[in-house]
Every structure is written in structure tokens, then in C-alpha cells.
Amino acid sequence: NSRNPTEAMATLRTNAHKIASEIAARGFFSDRRMALNDKGQWGSLYELGTIYYKRYGKAELPDEMVLTRDLKTALEIYSEYESKRWLPR
């Protein structure tokens, strides 16, 4: 992408906000409080572009059934996004 980093970050935020306003979170967080605590550039860009997330602490990792359910829900959200992004605005 030929955008400068400031423009790219603004675009990530704008796009994430737009998508979050159009597609239900279905139990995921969309509060912009995800913190990867990465000191490099990639972590902060990933945080800006993240629309929904679930937080699993090291000591609180759910069982496989919950993780599978969450993955299926995330795929449903993505499927809805894919079906909507080609619709005329």
C-alpha cells in the first residue's frame, strides 16, 4: 500500500468501525481495548484493524468445546462480512 503510516492507521480504524456498526459482535468484544503489548509496529496495526476479539488469559484458557464454538462464531461473522462487502452501497 502506498499510504503513509498515519493514513493507513486512520483507514484501519475507519474500516473496523464501519464493519462493527454493520455486523453484530455475537459475544465477542469490539471495544478497542485489545492490547497485545507488542513494542513493534505490527502489534499496534493489528490492534487497530481488529474488529472483534475474545480474550483468553493464560490461566483461563477454555476447553476445546468453547474454543471450537468461538471459532465457528468468528467464521459466521466473517461469512456475513463477505456476503455484505459486495452489496451495492
Side-chain angles (χ1 to χ4, degrees), residues 34 36 38-48:
M34 185 177 78
L36 296 175
D38 179 34
K39 294 184 184 357
Q41 173 186 0
W42 298 114
S44 61
L45 290 175
Y46 188 84
E47 289 169 2
L48 288 171

Side-chain angles (χ1 to χ4, degrees), residues 1 3-17 48:
N1 193 327
R3 296 183 180 159
N4 70 45
T6 303
E7 288 176 359
M9 291 168 71
T11 299
L12 282 171
R13 280 192 293 259
T14 299
N15 290 343
H17 178 72
L48 288 171

